[in-house]
Each structure stands twice: as C-alpha cells, then as structure tokens.
Amino acid sequence: MPQLRRQPRQTRARATFDAILDAAAQLFAEHGYAATTTNRVAERAGVSIGSLYQYVSDKDALLLALAERHLQEAADALSDTFRALHRDRPDVAETVRRLVATLADLHRHDPAMHRLLFDQTPRTPALAARLRQAQRDLGRAVAAELIRLGVAGPHPQARALLLVQGLEAQVHGAVLEPPPDSSSAELIDELIALWTTTLGHIGQGGAETRID
Amino acid sequence: MPQLRRQPRQTRARATFDAILDAAAQLFAEHGYAATTTNRVAERAGVSIGSLYQYVSDKDALLLALAERHLQEAADALSDTFRALHRDRPDVAETVRRLVATLADLHRHDPAMHRLLFDQTPRTPALAARLRQAQRDLGRAVAAELIRLGVAGPHPQARALLLVQGLEAQVHGAVLEPPPDSSSAELIDELIALWTTTLGHIGQGGAETRID
DNA sequence: TGCAAAAACCGAGTAATACTCACATACCGG
DNA sequence: CCGGTATGTGAGTATTACTCGGTTTTTGCA
C-alpha cells in the first residue's frame, strides 16, 4: 500500500510536501475535512494542484499522511514517558498518574488535530487500520508495565488493550468535550482514581469477580 | 435544526422514507459512506432522487436519520436492562455483567451499523452532538445505579460518564475488532472483571488513590 | 360524490470538486 | 556543459450532490 505516490528526494520536494501537509492541517482544522477542497489546500500551500497529487494519491491519503506525522509525535512523547517509567519504576498510583498525564497533554497540545482524527473524519479502512496499530503498539508498552507491577493477569495483552482503549476514550472526552457540569481537571483526577483502584485491586487472577 | 425537511404524514410517505433509510443502510454497509451515491440510494429504494431530498436536506442528514433510528433501538434495549436492574437490585458484579452483556449484544446485533456510526463516517457536528447526547443519557441512567450500589462517589455524573465512555470503546473493540491473539469472549470476561473490581473497591471517597 | 388544495413524487439539469495528463522547468551526475 | 531524472504546472474531465418546475396522488369537505 503505497501511501505516498512519490517519495520526496530533493530538499525542494521535501519543502513542498511539508507545505502541503501544513496547509491541509490548517484548512481541515478551520473548515473540517469535507468542506476543504484539495484545490484550496494546494493554493494555500503555494503549489499547483498537480504537485499535490504527485505526493498523495487522493484526499484520504492526504489525511493519512497527516495522521502519520501526528502519530509519530505522539509515539515520541509516549516513548519518553515509558523510558522514565522504566528508569524510576514507580508504584501503580504514580504509573497511572504519569500515563494519564501524558495522554492528556497529547490531547491538549493539538486539540484540532485530535478532533480531526477521531471525530470529524471519514475513517478510511487504511486510516482505521493505522489507528488500531497505534493502539496495539501502545498496548504492548502498557502490558510490559502491568507485568512489572505484578497486575498483568493471565492475558497481559488483552488487559492492556482494554486499558488503552478505555483510557483513550475517557481522556479524549475529558479534555476535548467536558460536559457542562464537570471540569476537565476534575474528570482527569477521577480517571486516575478509577484506574489506580482497578489496578491496585485486580491482582493476578483471571476473571476476578469476587467483591467480598 | 430541522433534521428532516418534510415530516412524512401519509402512510405512503412513511413507507417511502423507510425504504430510503433501508436502502441507505444497505449501501452504506456494503460500500461505505463515501462510495455510496445518493442517486443509488434513491434507485435501490425504488424512488426518484427528488423524493429522497424531500425528506433529507443532504447526505449527512441521511446518515443522521439512520443514526436516529439506530439510537432509538439501542435506547429501547437499554431501557429494558435498566428496568430489570431496578426490579432485581442485584449486586455490583451482576449489575456490571448485565450492562456489559447488553452493550455487547447491541454491537453484535448490527455490527455494520455500529461500524458505520463509529468508524467509517465523517462526524458532522450534528452527528457528533447526537452521539454525545446519547452518551450523556446513558450516563444518567448509570449514575442512578452507582448511587443505588453506594459507589457513586462525590460526582456521580462524572464517574458514570467515564464509565460509559470507557465501556463503549472497550466493548466496541472487543466485539468488532478483536486482536488476533485474544477472543472476543475472553475480552468481554476480562472487561467484566475489570469494572467489577473497580466498582467493588472504589468506595465513596473522591480521589481514592490509596492502594495499601 | 365531485373537486379544490395539499401532499407526495418525479428526473433532467446545474454547479461544484476530486483528480488526470501532456507538457514545462529545475536539478544532478558525469 | 548536457542528457536524464526529478519536480512542478493548470486547463480540462468525469463524477456526484443537490435543485426546481412540473405531474400525480391523496385528503378534506360541500
């Protein structure tokens, strides 16, 4: 699946492609995906429509390229957090706190892009697959932490994936769409409390449903 | 916000509109939202394109109308579940079990529609708002259960909203996109265990972060 | 039952837009 | 300096969401 039609080789080409991505990010954020025309993207980037289609096979691929750039930044930030966890080896409470803080920061940093990727966009199969892959990658790193903390249970990957899926939706909602009757900070605190409790009590057993 | 351009009054009109919605549901599921043309929807419904636009202001509104029909069915199913909970007053474990089972059934019942609404569609502001409203409605019902169970904490609405947001994403992932290394049933069991543990131990305190 | 008025239906036509292609220009290795 | 390759161009085309003037069907009522 050649997401990019032509890989930019010369520096001039790299600059052109970056300009196109920047223009697309701006216009998508301003007017939404559907209302943004590829001709306008090219215009704002200062290139011809033909140049845009040299690098990108269609409008969806343009979005996918944008997603790729965003996910790379997110992966870098998360990588830092996990490196620190591996170094400090904090307890469950602090581990949850740091993870949630990192995710919340990512959402606060570029809310328009986050809304674009998760709210306002037709999820092409390719994009949906890419987002799932990012989720699985994060799940793997989280599984390692669960094991370190002794709360991984019999299926670390499964437990980690559920944690990641839940957390992502919750942080997204808390940061970007806080309901009128709660503040974003309140929700984040509650979120940390919820997951700290969960991981603090779930232990190693499988379907631990006793609540004595 | 007149979601429908013209309210069907005569029974013939109601049949026409239903046929349009059915055709749209089929074609969207078969080819995706973007690849489905409104002309084809009208054709499959056996009506003219003009008739379609009598009831629906644009393609997005067609999707919204479809969502409305789906959310109504979901609300009915959930209503049954909550009525039963109110009657039987089961403990935390059984309450979580029933809630998760209902959500999982909803996803299994019409997976194509669920994927359409949550994966493959441009979330028009109107659609996004409608989905958030459905989430808040469910949150209110859940908050009442948390209070009954004595695990609502100082902000029942906030806690319930986080629960609903997390659960929805987790059930969606478990039922519709199970990763290659876990089964859907396994994930659902783990999900029930996670939330039972959480609610079984979180108690009434606010930011309960002690893990002793 | 007859008949206006309203409701429902029709489909060729229009405007908008994603994308192509034949060509021009800029850059690089030898 | 020069052949070849990479990059850039933009008028034009095909597709498709949506309109509008007009016809047909149903309803309410004298």
Side-chain angles (χ1 to χ4, degrees):
Chain A
M1 53 192 91
Q3 106 171 239
L4 288 187
R5 258 191 182 176
R6 161 176 285 168
Q7 208 61 233
R9 300 167 194 282
Q10 308 176 359
T11 54
R12 176 178 60 136
R14 184 74 235 169
T16 299
F17 186 53
D18 281 344
I20 290 169
L21 288 188
D22 289 342
Q26 286 174 29
L27 289 172
F28 286 165
E30 280 173 35
H31 309 108
Y33 179 79
T36 300
T37 72
T38 52
N39 282 296
R40 272 207 193 299
V41 171
E43 186 186 11
R44 163 122 12 149
V47 303
S48 90
I49 182 65
S51 292
L52 188 153
Y53 280 98
Q54 292 257 331
Y55 296 102
V56 139
S57 62
D58 56 21
K59 197 180 172 185
D60 284 342
L62 181 58
L63 183 70
L64 186 59
L66 220 50
E68 205 59 59
R69 201 168 70 164
H70 177 74
L71 289 174
Q72 191 54 54
E73 290 171 20
D76 290 347
L78 285 162
S79 190
D80 285 352
T81 297
F82 282 107
R83 207 181 343 268
L85 287 175
H86 194 260
R87 188 187 60 225
D88 304 344
R89 310 181 86 69
D91 64 7
V92 166
E94 175 65 12
T95 301
V96 169
R97 219 187 319 270
R98 290 193 195 180
L99 244 175
V100 171
T102 302
L103 286 179
D105 283 345
L106 281 175
H107 281 77
R108 275 189 284 256
H109 171 256
D110 196 351
M113 175 65 67
H114 253 271
R115 257 188 269 262
L116 186 68
L117 288 182
F118 293 88
D119 272 356
Q120 300 171 356
T121 306
R123 304 258 184 108
T124 272
L127 179 55
R130 183 61 186 85
L131 293 176
R132 262 202 304 281
Q133 189 207 316
Q135 213 171 50
R136 279 201 308 272
D137 291 346
L138 179 51
R140 260 191 291 278
V142 167
E145 293 304 309
L146 295 184
I147 290 170
R148 169 177 74 75
L149 291 162
V151 296
H155 303 290
Q157 298 297 336
R159 187 171 284 182
L161 184 67
L162 291 174
L163 194 156
V164 168
Q165 287 173 335
L167 255 189
E168 205 164 86
Q170 291 162 331
V171 170
H172 183 88
V175 173
L176 299 182
E177 316 289 348
D181 54 357
S182 328
S183 78
S184 183
E186 236 175 37
L187 287 166
I188 294 286
D189 283 348
E190 178 75 19
L191 196 40
I192 292 171
L194 273 179
W195 284 104
T196 301
T197 301
T198 308
L199 297 180
H201 288 90
I202 196 161
Q204 282 291 331
E208 157 120 10
T209 48
R210 287 171 298 115
I211 52 162
D212 35 74
Chain B
M1 53 197 89
Q3 110 174 237
L4 288 189
R5 249 186 192 182
R6 159 176 288 171
Q7 210 61 233
R9 299 165 194 283
Q10 307 176 0
T11 55
R12 175 177 61 139
R14 183 76 234 169
T16 299
F17 187 52
D18 282 344
I20 289 169
L21 287 189
D22 289 342
Q26 286 175 29
L27 290 172
F28 286 164
E30 281 173 36
H31 308 108
Y33 178 79
T36 300
T37 72
T38 51
N39 283 293
R40 271 206 194 301
V41 171
E43 186 186 10
R44 163 118 17 146
V47 303
S48 90
I49 183 63
S51 293
L52 188 154
Y53 281 98
Q54 293 246 316
Y55 296 102
V56 139
S57 62
D58 56 23
K59 199 180 171 186
D60 284 341
L62 181 58
L63 183 71
L64 186 59
L66 220 49
E68 203 61 57
R69 202 169 69 164
H70 177 74
L71 289 174
Q72 191 54 53
E73 289 171 22
D76 289 347
L78 285 163
S79 189
D80 286 350
T81 297
F82 282 107
R83 207 183 343 270
L85 287 175
H86 194 259
R87 187 187 59 225
D88 304 343
R89 310 183 86 68
D91 64 7
V92 167
E94 176 64 14
T95 301
V96 169
R97 217 188 321 270
R98 290 194 195 180
L99 243 174
V100 171
T102 302
L103 285 179
D105 284 345
L106 281 175
H107 281 78
R108 274 189 284 258
H109 172 256
D110 195 352
M113 176 63 70
H114 252 271
R115 256 187 269 263
L116 186 68
L117 289 182
F118 294 89
D119 272 357
Q120 298 170 358
T121 315
R123 305 260 184 107
T124 272
L127 178 56
R130 183 63 185 84
L131 293 176
R132 262 202 304 283
Q133 188 207 317
Q135 213 171 50
R136 278 201 309 272
D137 290 347
L138 180 51
R140 259 190 293 277
V142 168
E145 292 304 308
L146 294 184
I147 290 171
R148 169 178 74 76
L149 291 163
V151 295
H155 303 290
Q157 297 299 335
R159 186 171 284 181
L161 184 67
L162 290 173
L163 195 156
V164 168
Q165 287 173 335
L167 254 189
E168 204 165 87
Q170 289 162 332
V171 170
H172 183 89
V175 174
L176 299 181
E177 316 289 349
D181 54 358
S182 331
S183 78
S184 183
E186 237 174 37
L187 287 165
I188 294 286
D189 284 347
E190 178 74 18
L191 196 41
I192 293 171
L194 273 178
W195 284 104
T196 301
T197 302
T198 307
L199 296 180
H201 289 88
I202 197 161
Q204 283 291 332
E208 157 119 6
T209 49
R210 288 172 296 114
I211 54 165
D212 34 72

